[in-house]
Each structure stands twice: as structure tokens, then as C-alpha cells.
Amino acid sequence: MYHGDRVPGFPQHPHRGFVHWAEKITKFTTPDSLTTATVWAGSLRSHKALPPIRDSWANEEANPGNDVNIWFLQIQPGGSITLPKAASSLSTRSLYFVEGTALTLNGVTKVPDLSQVEFADPSQEEVLLENLGPKLVEVLVLQGRKMGEPVAKHGPFVMNTQQEIAQAFNDYRMTQFEGWPWPEDAMVFPREKGRFLALKGVAEELPPKRED
């Protein structure tokens, strides 16, 4: 993380891609109010994530059968949630136990703290996640069919080839991805300003109010 001269924060930080306001990202709570699920991609319990961009591997209309799901689960003590079967035996599923002390799978397997679980074939059975401890459990689940593509990365860019990395840097040097609207690389705004989105030539946008 970048630490500025006056306050911690990110300076001008280029990326290819897009972002959503946190308030728009799909989130739901189980009927017992003990588990909260954030659906960043795919769907869970009929709750669908926001539509991905056209060329995304997660776009089922453009790339059917990729079975991409990304779920962030916060399970209170005594809470539980069941993960559905994957759509295909070609899907992979990884579970990251990032917070807590007592995560159990299917009432049998105790997951070690701060560990990763790889499922051999997530299409075979549903998986019950239970928090049997006294602290909040947080879990990240990544699922999908492998892309089978090379990966090239440098700085903030991740592409498929070094030529695409070079093109990304060239595009940024020429246009700054449509321009940085402020006079300094590491701008500091008043705390009371809160979060906002500013694009060159476009009126400022504020985050929407979450509808609970």
C-alpha cells in the first residue's frame, strides 16, 4: 500500500477494468441473520451478482459454462451456509479461511485457521459450512472453469501476453486512460468529503444509498 506524505492512501493508480460502488454489490443475509454473503460474481441462493462486462470470463451469455462464482461469507458463531454443487466437473473451487478459529465442512472436517481448501470435484455434492467457534468466521470462495490461457503481469497490469502489457503501458502513457482529473498524483481531500467518483469531463458521482 502506498503511504503519502501527509496521510496513508493510494496515489494515481492505473488499472484496466471497471469498478462498482460497494452499495450496489449483491449482498444478502440468511433467515437466521447469522450469515452474510456478498456475491461478487455468479449467484448464490438465487441472488445474482451484478452483470459482468461483455468480455469477462464470468459473462455466462458470452462465455457459457464457465461457472464463475466469487462469494465472500461472514458467518457468526452458530451460523452456517450451504454451498451448492458446481455446475460441472470441469469447475474448480477454492475456499480461503481468512478469519476465525472454528470452520467445519459437512459437520466432519475442521479447517485449519488461515488455510486454503481445494475441492477435488465440487460438482459432486453440496458443502455445509458451519462456525462452531466463538468468533466471526470469514471465508472467500473462488470457483470457475480454468481459462487455459497464459498470464502476463507487470506493475498494476495483468494481461495474457507481454505484448499486451506493453500496449497497456503505451495506452496509459498516451491517454492516462482518459486522464487524471487532479493536479497532483497523490491528492488529499477533506475527510468530510467522503467517497466519490470523478472522471475527466464528467460530473462527480456519489455512492448510492443501499436499499436494505
Side-chain angles (χ1 to χ4, degrees):
M1 180 176 179
Y2 168 86
H3 291 274
D5 294 332
R6 287 171 283 172
V7 294
F10 285 102
Q12 187 170 344
H13 195 68
H15 286 280
R16 280 194 185 278
F18 72 109
V19 295
H20 289 302
W21 289 112
E23 288 81 0
K24 290 185 176 181
I25 295 174
T26 302
K27 181 181 289 189
F28 70 92
T29 302
T30 54
D32 61 7
S33 299
L34 293 178
T35 301
T36 299
T38 302
V39 184
W40 285 326
S43 63
L44 181 61
R45 287 194 173 186
S46 75
H47 297 271
K48 292 185 177 182
L50 293 171
I53 59 176
R54 183 191 62 186
D55 296 328
S56 169
W57 190 251
N59 189 329
E60 281 291 318
E61 293 184 2
N63 301 293
N66 288 343
D67 195 26
V68 175
N69 288 279
I70 303 177
W71 307 315
F72 179 61
L73 310 172
Q74 296 172 295
I75 310 173
Q76 299 290 339
S80 65
I81 190 168
T82 299
L83 305 184
K85 297 178 182 179
S88 167
S89 60
L90 296 177
S91 297
T92 62
R93 177 184 286 172
S94 300
L95 180 152
Y96 299 87
F97 183 14
V98 297
E99 192 71 44
T101 59
L103 174 64
T104 301
L105 307 183
N106 289 335
V108 177
T109 304
K110 185 179 185 304
V111 182
D113 301 354
L114 302 176
S115 63
Q116 174 185 351
V117 177
E118 296 284 346
F119 294 84
D121 184 356
S123 68
Q124 289 298 306
E125 63 177 357
E126 296 181 338
V127 180
L128 173 65
L129 276 59
E130 294 179 283
N131 180 1
L132 302 181
K135 298 180 179 180
L136 173 72
V137 160
E138 293 186 340
V139 173
L140 174 65
V141 180
L142 306 180
Q143 177 181 303
R145 185 166 62 87
K146 291 184 178 180
M147 298 179 68
E149 296 284 346
V151 175
K153 56 186 178 180
H154 189 93
F157 301 120
V158 179
M159 310 294 284
N160 292 120
T161 66
Q162 289 299 328
Q163 290 81 2
E164 290 175 341
I165 292 289
Q167 184 63 53
F169 273 102
N170 186 58
D171 291 346
Y172 178 69
R173 291 188 190 101
M174 292 182 65
T175 69
Q176 292 187 312
F177 298 155
E178 304 307 325
W180 181 253
W182 299 292
E184 300 177 27
D185 278 352
M187 289 293 297
V188 178
F189 299 96
R191 182 181 296 273
E192 60 272 15
K193 185 174 179 61
R195 293 178 298 145
F196 67 96
L197 172 67
L199 300 174
K200 201 169 186 178
V202 179
E204 264 187 21
E205 180 181 335
L206 299 177
K209 293 182 179 179
R210 179 180 288 278
E211 297 180 2
D212 296 320

